[in-house]
Amino acid sequence: MGDAQKLGLDDIVDILKAAGEPTRLRLLALLAHGDLTVTDLTDILGQSQPRISRHLKLLAEAGLVDRYQEGAWAFFRLSQGGAAVALARQLLDTADGADAVLARDDERLRVLKKVRADKAQAYFSRNAADWDVMRRLHVSDAEVEAKLAAMIGTEPVDAFLDLGTGTGRILQLFEGLYQRGVGVDASRDMLAVARANLDRAGITKASIRHGDIFNLPLERDEFDVVTIHQVLHFLEEPEAAIAEAARMLAPGGRLAIIDLAPHGLEHLRNDHAHIRLGFSHQILADWLEKAGLAVEEIVDLKPAHSAADALTVTIWLARDRREPAAGKIAIRRRS
């Protein structure tokens, strides 16, 4: 560890005490793979909720895990920085993945995530044809699209990537901006709708690909603009999707994320397969910074009325910190 990660003797002992218990070490190993609720952790470890909550409280007090609220659910994750979590990660790196207990926990975690992913996939397939209608979230599509277009600007780019492309609407919206467009989605039903829509619009410079947003079938450092439109709240690991999107960006390229601000509509979890009830400015900004991007602009689009089910849409725009390669036309920076 570098100088910024140095710890005093008492601090090291406190961290080792917090992590040095079998259940707490198992919790740290699970949370290293993404954000989980207490219910998730009790299902995986087969222990009572009070017991798991007590262990999480001790880990949080030691600076090893963070807690944040989404509606009625509380999510926990491995802390994003600091000397304490750096030491904990070193401990986890020494753990044998073939250890029977850790391997069983990992398998249960994968089963849990697959069940949720299958639920979301089934929802997408059932509703592919009416998707654009169903995702109107009280802020009009026209308002969201106009703001997004203004933030991205009109400077032409070579390559444009839309992740979770759905009906292909974003590829249509920015058709005049790019020389080559690619839309990726995991739902074959959605892809069929997107292809039909692009054909109907006469757009031939955009292609549609089937792929996993966490492991894209594309070359890295290839795209000048990447968009993720109303996708992250369906994902178990939105931070991992952001990291993969950032990997696609060419030096100096930009990532635009459009999603919901935090809200309390619990019924969206069951009725519409939402896993996350929106994202705060800070959480998304942390994930973007961690992925090597500089946040340039954050805009909230609030609905015109204040009904209990009114939802705010947020747009985050971030830029890859690297300078464009020699000979590459830099995208004009916003002032």
Side-chain angles (χ1 to χ4, degrees):
M1 294 185 292
D3 292 342
Q5 299 292 321
K6 296 296 185 182
L7 290 162
L9 181 61
D10 289 343
D11 292 329
I12 293 174
V13 171
D14 288 343
I15 294 166
L16 293 176
K17 283 181 178 178
E21 191 278 337
T23 296
R24 291 199 287 275
L25 196 57
R26 291 167 70 188
L27 288 170
L28 290 174
L30 289 167
L31 293 173
H33 292 291
D35 304 0
L36 297 168
T37 67
V38 172
T39 300
D40 294 333
L41 295 166
T42 58
D43 288 346
I44 293 169
L45 271 63
Q47 299 183 18
S48 69
Q49 183 167 329
R51 179 178 172 82
I52 294 297
S53 295
R54 185 169 64 254
H55 284 307
L56 289 169
K57 182 174 184 292
L58 291 171
L59 291 171
E61 289 173 348
L64 297 175
V65 303
D66 294 329
R67 177 188 185 276
Y68 62 96
Q69 196 78 25
E70 285 186 9
W73 289 14
F75 280 86
F76 292 84
R77 61 176 176 173
L78 204 62
S79 293
Q80 299 300 289
V85 76
L87 178 56
R89 286 188 181 278
Q90 284 193 331
L91 292 174
L92 294 175
D93 287 343
T94 66
D96 184 357
D99 175 86
V101 174
L102 294 177
R104 185 170 65 247
D105 289 347
D106 185 63
E107 175 61 24
R108 289 175 176 170
L109 176 62
R110 281 188 276 119
V111 169
L112 180 147
K113 290 184 175 182
K114 185 177 187 304
V115 168
R116 291 187 177 172
D118 288 348
K119 180 181 177 182
Q121 188 70 30
Y123 172 77
F124 295 153
S125 295
R126 288 195 308 272
N127 298 293
D130 299 321
W131 185 244
D132 281 333
V133 174
M134 295 184 67
R135 76 177 183 186
R136 288 174 185 154
L137 301 165
H138 306 282
V139 176
S140 71
D141 285 345
E143 183 180 351
V144 173
E145 291 175 359
K147 188 60 185 179
L148 176 63
M151 292 171 71
I152 290 179
T154 58
E155 190 76 19
V157 299
D158 291 334
F160 184 101
L161 173 63
D162 184 37
L163 298 179
T165 196
T167 62
R169 173 58 190 162
I170 296 298
L171 290 173
Q172 295 177 66
L173 178 65
F174 288 101
E175 186 237 346
L177 190 73
Y178 56 82
Q179 295 299 313
R180 179 173 65 92
V182 178
V184 177
D185 206 293
S187 168
R188 296 190 185 280
D189 291 318
M190 283 291 192
L191 295 177
V193 173
R195 288 190 179 100
N197 287 340
L198 292 178
D199 288 344
R200 191 177 302 114
I203 298 174
T204 58
K205 59 183 179 179
S207 62
I208 301 297
R209 301 277 299 274
H210 180 262
D212 180 356
I213 196 170
F214 300 110
N215 186 21
L216 294 168
L218 303 165
E219 294 295 325
R220 64 177 301 153
D221 301 339
E222 188 176 352
F223 295 92
D224 302 298
V225 176
V226 177
T227 54
I228 309 178
H229 187 201
Q230 297 292 6
V231 172
L232 293 184
H233 59 261
F234 290 108
L235 303 181
E236 281 284 350
E237 298 181 72
E239 181 181 4
I242 289 173
E244 181 69 353
R247 196 174 69 86
M248 296 295 108
L249 285 174
R254 293 175 296 169
L255 171 62
I257 296 174
I258 307 92
D259 218 291
L260 302 179
H263 63 86
L265 302 186
E266 289 288 339
H267 70 87
L268 294 181
R269 297 192 197 274
N270 291 324
D271 295 347
H272 296 288
H274 289 206
I275 293 176
R276 301 304 184 92
L277 297 186
F279 302 93
S280 69
H281 289 188
Q282 189 60 54
I283 284 177
L284 255 295
D286 287 348
W287 290 344
L288 290 164
E289 292 282 349
K290 187 177 177 182
L293 308 181
V295 178
E296 293 195 331
E297 192 172 0
I298 303 175
V299 174
D300 287 324
L301 300 175
K302 300 181 183 298
H305 58 89
S306 57
D309 62 347
L311 299 176
T312 294
V313 173
T314 304
I315 304 176
W316 291 262
L317 184 67
R319 184 184 295 275
D320 184 278
R321 295 179 182 276
R322 298 168 297 170
E323 288 297 320
K328 177 77 172 178
I329 299 175
I331 303 169
R332 179 171 52 86
R333 295 182 183 272
R334 294 175 56 85
S335 58

